Amino acid sequence: MAVETAWVGRLVSREHKREDTVISVGKATIGGPHLTVIAGPCAVESREQVLNAARLVKAAGATILRGGAFKPRTSPYSFQGLGKEGLAYLAEAGQKTGLPVVSEVIEAGDVPLVSQYVDILQIGSRNMQNYALLRRVGKSSRPVLLKRGLAATMEEWLLAAEYIMDAGNPAIILCERGIRTYETATRNTLDLGAVPVVKALSHLPIIVDPSHATGNSAYVLPLAKAALGAGADGLMVEVHPCPRQALCDGDQSLSPEEFKELMDQVRRLSGALGRGVVKP
Ligand code: PEP
Ligand code: MN
């Protein structure tokens, strides 16, 4: 296959490194035998909201807490996030629950600031080909969660990871979050084929975000299970203490009860897949 030949020698390729990359963050691991579940609100909205979210996702068994402080919104009039204040609330929620935290960085100049508060730097779909940002997080000592661009091929996505690794950072987690297609019934089209293909081409761990892939909380559970069945190393799921009141992505956010159900089913499935969920 042409794409595979082109991959020989690349730092992210299987040819370069045969064994799966396993990334450890606090008590969580991403890649390897265990599944990881990153959960939390789309955006940090207040101290109370993110503390509540952290407690409930931890109680249900999530291993890492998510929450956006710098939000790259499609409309300039939508809620843009709390910025530095949001990072402080997220870090506090992480400390109180013992969960490592991940948050998005949208500008190269913000990498030092965001790195002070988070354990994992997230590069969002809209920034997957922001090469200055990729090089900057490549110089960071924090692991990077790299989301697939909304119209990126797998090769473009892996080459974006190559930028980060070439700049010096080998700790990269790939995240499939759906791509733009002609289909409008779901927010994006979840490309589960990416999971086995990326695993064949690369040693990096890959997780799946069924929330942004579907835009609808009703479809999150079935696609979460399908993702794990396809071989994903974990999930990233949006959860809100009260989705109807969410300032961002409420339609796709799971309620506390729905997230508990998802975790129950993930645990059952992980037994069948021979992959436990790491306890935080
Ligand atoms: C997010 O995970 O907060 C997000 C903005 O997702 P994406 O970059 O996949 O759209
Ligand atoms: Mn979101």
Side-chain angles (χ1 to χ4, degrees), residues 41-43 66 71 73 122 126 147 187 209 211-212 238 248-250 252-253:
C42 178
R66 65 152 284 149
K71 297 301 301 175
R73 304 303 300 280
Q122 179 172 326
R126 290 157 191 80
K147 297 192 99 178
R187 182 175 178 184
D209 169 354
S211 306
H212 291 89
E238 285 186 343
C248 184
D249 286 349
Q252 68 195 33
S253 298

